[in-house]
Amino acid sequence: MIIALAIMLCFMTQVSAAILLRKTAKPWRSTRYAYPIASILAAAGMRYLMLWVSHAPHPQNILLEDHPAQLQVPPFAVPIIIGVAVLLLCAAHAVLFLYWRSVQWSRGLAEAEREKEIAKAMAEQRAMRMQNETLLEEIRERKRAEANLAAFAFTDPVTGLHNRSYLNERLLTALQRKGIRTYTHRALLYIDLDNFKSANDMLGHIQGDALLKELAKRLRKLVPEEDVVVRLGGDEFAVLLNCTTDAASALRFAHQLLTALEHPVEIAGNSLHLSASIGLCMIDADYTDPEIAVRDADLAMYCAKREGGARVVVFVPEMYTNMLRAIEDRKELKRAIEEEEFVLWYQPLVDMQDGSIYGSEALIRWQHPIKGLLGPYTFIRLAEETGRIIDIGNWVLRKACGDFHKFQEKSLKPLLLSLNVSSKQLELPGYFDLLVRTLEETGMPAHQLQLEITESILMSDPALMGPLLQKIRALGIKIAFDDFGTGYSSLSYIQKFPVDTLKIDQSFVRSLIDSPVNGKIIQLILGMSEALGMSVSVEGVETEFEATTLLRFGCRIAQGFLYSRPVEIETFFSLLKRKSLRPPETIRQPAA
């Protein structure tokens, strides 16, 4: 009973001390000494309690005075009780201390975890903010890059104008919005500079770019802001007119552009005079594809260039039909070359004094499997434009030189073989070697071969043609100037280039009856050629009057229907058997 009271007393003392200390002091600093002090105080209290108990009378002795006696407690019981109490108090103190520390540790862990979560959340928030800022900067940078790329994709780097892609975008937008403004019309101008390649080769590419920039400035100055000016590439430009009132106003504006482009341009100390070919296409409700509008304007420009350039041509649907026909003709021409559908016909060169055959001119024909025999006027121009004239011309050279021996075997005097040569053939780097090789392979005598050239050949590249013609003439081959008198600068060329024969164009011969002036011109040419040591031949002699007049002027060599039309090789063999091709009677008498 006493031990229980002691333990209860110590426990209550410890609890009371813990409660008071929790309310009045910080637990981690105060409980370290409070609980031992409370234990000592409790032990002291127990000591006095035990002393009181040991000397106090037993209740029974108080009530029953007949049996007074003193409660006897062993002397060693007090230390044991105190020790047990102290041990119990220490255990209680340790339990309470560990409980308190565990609570505090749990709270510390919770607070640390909470602080860690808060720090993590703040770090994530900062990271998210930095990530958002980085993402925004990347978006801005991407937008700037896209803007630069779009500007580069739609801008010509040389002139600073818009390019073909931008024109297609604007045309597509305009076609999608058609019908919104029915009171206005749209027109597309396709502009190509004439002879820009020659100017660019003369000035160099740097000055050529400067020339394009100057022309771009002129276009930008003339074209209103609501319209579009683009450079399509090379020397080609386009103008999209968005608010023209009608086709006539668009045509007037196109002529204004043409006039502005023809003004002289000063580049590197050189004054250049350029012209342009312009195709005009009115964009109406029938157009749905931008490429078709550009194609039609291009076709109109191409027609303007074929007509000589320096003009404006308005697109009509027939141009597209002609283009399809030209595409088909190109395919057929390629097939004809591959399958050798061409044949050579020969027209005699006649000595008008006795009517004997002096030589022959080889003229090409196309034996078309469906259309029949076609003359050169139906395909030579197409061959020039497509470059097929090189293959055709080389074939004519080999074929005619191969046939010549057959002619010469049936003739009693040396004959002359005359061939037409294209400028594209002469511009070919290996043409001279090809010519020499052909002469060697066919055994053709060089002094009996004559090459006919036109003024366009001499104008194409005089620096190249002069030395080339000198080398050809050194082989013994004769050079004839075909269609002489029709060019504006023929007289200047005959003194610069080696020429053996002047062929007077048939246009002068056909007007001998009606125009005495042409007779004077022919006499002038004959006198000049005699002074220069050149021979003269005449084309297109069809009447006895023309032949007699030309003989009286002093011209002997001629060709024309009066003597023979171009004929096949077998027919030409029969002509060689005749001593004279002079007709027995006059075909056409002059007017009285």
Side-chain angles (χ1 to χ4, degrees):
M1 183 67 182
I2 294 173
I3 294 174
L5 289 174
I7 291 172
M8 289 291 292
L9 178 61
C10 292
F11 182 77
M12 293 301 295
T13 303
Q14 293 283 341
V15 172
S16 300
I19 292 173
L20 292 174
L21 290 173
R22 183 173 182 182
K23 292 182 178 181
T24 59
K26 294 181 179 180
W28 290 100
R29 295 181 180 179
S30 302
T31 56
R32 187 179 302 176
Y33 304 104
Y35 293 122
I37 293 172
S39 299
I40 294 173
L41 292 177
M46 287 295 300
R47 173 62 179 171
Y48 288 109
L49 177 63
M50 293 303 297
L51 289 176
W52 178 77
V53 170
S54 64
H55 292 89
H58 196 272
Q60 293 180 0
N61 295 333
I62 297 174
L63 296 174
L64 300 175
E65 295 181 355
D66 294 337
H67 303 281
Q70 185 177 0
L71 180 63
Q72 298 294 325
V73 178
F76 55 84
V78 174
I80 293 174
I81 293 173
I82 292 175
V84 172
V86 170
L87 290 176
L88 292 175
L89 289 173
C90 289
H93 170 265
V95 172
L96 291 174
F97 180 74
L98 291 175
Y99 170 74
W100 182 259
R101 291 295 297 269
S102 65
V103 171
Q104 293 297 321
W105 183 70
S106 299
R107 291 178 179 175
L109 287 178
E111 291 178 358
E113 188 67 24
R114 187 165 54 253
E115 292 177 357
K116 185 178 180 181
E117 291 178 356
I118 292 173
K120 182 179 179 181
M122 293 179 65
E124 290 178 354
Q125 187 176 5
R126 286 193 300 270
M128 183 66 70
R129 185 166 56 251
M130 294 178 62
Q131 185 178 3
N132 291 338
E133 292 176 356
T134 304
L135 183 59
L136 288 175
E137 184 61 27
E138 289 180 356
I139 292 174
R140 295 190 192 99
E141 185 65 27
R142 181 175 297 178
K143 288 183 177 180
R144 286 192 294 266
E146 290 176 353
N148 294 334
L149 184 61
F152 179 78
F154 291 123
T155 304
D156 175 61
V158 177
T159 61
L161 298 175
H162 296 298
N163 58 11
R164 183 185 291 269
S165 299
Y166 183 81
L167 175 64
N168 290 336
E169 290 290 333
R170 289 295 300 268
L171 277 172
L172 182 61
T173 303
L175 295 177
Q176 290 174 348
R177 295 179 179 178
K178 63 184 179 181
I180 296 178
R181 294 184 299 174
T182 56
Y183 59 90
T184 62
H185 297 78
R186 293 185 177 90
L188 180 62
L189 304 179
Y190 201 112
I191 306 170
D192 183 89
L193 302 178
D194 300 330
N195 299 323
F196 174 78
K197 183 180 182 301
S198 300
N200 193 41
D201 294 341
M202 179 183 68
L203 297 174
H205 294 292
I206 296 178
Q207 299 300 331
D209 290 346
L211 176 60
L212 291 175
K213 292 178 182 178
E214 176 61 28
L215 297 176
K217 289 180 182 178
R218 293 185 182 182
L219 293 175
R220 192 184 293 112
K221 184 177 180 180
L222 287 173
V223 176
E225 294 183 358
E226 63 270 15
D227 298 329
V228 181
V229 184
V230 301
R231 181 188 177 215
L232 299 174
D235 59 346
E236 296 181 343
F237 297 84
V239 177
L240 177 61
L241 302 178
N242 290 311
C243 298
T244 182
T245 56
D246 53 14
S249 64
L251 185 60
R252 285 193 299 269
F253 183 77
H255 282 288
Q256 293 176 7
L257 291 181
L258 195 64
T259 303
L261 293 175
E262 290 176 349
H263 290 166
V265 182
E266 297 293 334
I267 299 292
N270 298 311
S271 181
L272 302 177
H273 296 264
L274 298 178
S275 62
S277 301
I278 301 179
L280 172 60
C281 175
M282 297 301 299
I283 302 176
D284 52 24
D286 295 333
Y287 285 97
T288 57
D289 188 352
E291 292 294 337
I292 296 179
V294 176
R295 180 204 66 191
D296 291 348
D298 187 14
L299 282 175
M301 181 277 298
Y302 179 72
C303 291
K305 190 167 287 292
R306 290 190 67 178
E307 293 175 8
R311 67 192 66 208
V312 181
V313 173
V314 181
F315 173 79
V316 292
E318 289 77 10
M319 293 180 182
Y320 180 67
T321 304
N322 295 335
M323 182 196 71
L324 295 179
R325 187 183 302 113
I327 293 174
E328 187 63 28
D329 291 342
R330 288 189 181 98
K331 295 179 181 178
E332 293 185 353
L333 185 62
K334 181 181 178 181
R335 188 204 67 244
I337 295 173
E338 293 173 351
E339 299 182 4
E340 296 186 355
E341 295 179 356
F342 297 104
V343 294
L344 286 182
W345 284 29
Y346 296 90
Q347 186 174 28
L349 301 175
V350 179
D351 186 341
M352 291 188 292
Q353 269 192 330
D354 56 7
S356 63
I357 295 179
Y358 174 80
S360 64
E361 180 180 1
L363 301 172
I364 191 170
R365 298 290 186 267
W366 182 0
Q367 190 65 53
H368 196 281
I370 299 176
K371 301 177 182 178
L373 191 66
L374 302 178
Y377 59 89
T378 60
F379 61 88
I380 288 296
R381 184 174 183 177
L382 179 61
E384 290 274 1
E385 294 172 355
T386 59
R388 300 289 180 183
I389 192 65
I390 296 176
D391 298 328
I392 294 176
N394 295 340
W395 178 85
V396 170
L397 177 63
R398 291 191 302 270
K399 177 64 175 174
C401 290
D403 291 343
F404 178 78
H405 288 287
K406 302 175 184 178
F407 301 153
Q408 192 60 62
E409 290 175 356
K410 300 181 181 300
S411 177
L412 299 178
K413 63 179 183 179
L415 297 177
L416 180 70
L417 176 63
S418 187
L419 304 176
N420 292 283
V421 182
S422 169
S423 61
K424 293 186 180 297
Q425 288 179 268
L426 295 177
E427 291 171 357
L428 199 65
Y431 180 75
F432 180 79
D433 297 333
L434 174 66
L435 184 60
V436 173
R437 188 167 58 252
T438 303
L439 294 178
E440 294 175 351
E441 292 175 354
T442 60
M444 174 74 195
H447 66 279
Q448 291 180 261
L449 178 62
Q450 175 176 274
L451 300 182
E452 298 185 11
I453 62 175
T454 59
E455 183 180 358
S456 61
I457 294 178
L458 303 178
M459 293 179 62
S460 60
D461 191 350
L464 172 65
M465 293 303 164
L468 177 60
L469 294 178
Q470 291 286 1
K471 291 173 62 178
I472 293 175
R473 195 182 187 192
L475 294 175
I477 299 175
K478 296 179 176 60
I479 305 296
F481 204 154
D482 197 13
D483 300 332
F484 183 76
T486 58
Y488 65 90
S489 58
S490 299
L491 295 178
S492 65
Y493 285 128
I494 62 175
Q495 64 180 354
K496 294 180 181 179
F497 298 96
V499 178
D500 297 286
T501 303
L502 301 179
K503 294 191 69 173
I504 299 176
D505 187 68
Q506 59 184 349
S507 60
F508 294 100
V509 178
R510 291 176 180 174
S511 302
L512 278 176
I513 299 176
D514 303 325
S515 176
V517 176
N518 285 339
K520 298 294 183 181
I521 294 175
I522 293 175
Q523 288 178 303
L524 179 63
I525 295 174
L526 290 170
M528 181 185 62
S529 63
E530 183 179 359
L532 296 175
M534 301 177 183
S535 62
V536 177
S537 65
V538 184
E539 298 176 319
V541 179
E542 297 183 356
T543 67
E544 187 68 30
F545 171 80
E546 294 169 351
T548 304
T549 304
L550 291 171
L551 271 175
R552 189 175 69 250
F553 289 161
C555 181
R556 293 184 56 180
I557 308 301
Q559 64 186 103
F561 292 172
L562 175 64
Y563 303 104
S564 174
R565 294 175 179 270
V567 294
E568 298 176 281
I569 185 171
E570 292 79 8
T571 306
F572 190 78
F573 289 155
S574 62
L575 294 177
L576 288 173
K577 297 177 181 179
R578 297 170 56 180
K579 293 183 179 180
S580 174
L581 297 183
R582 184 181 299 172
E585 57 185 19
T586 302
I587 295 178
R588 177 168 62 89
Q589 296 291 342

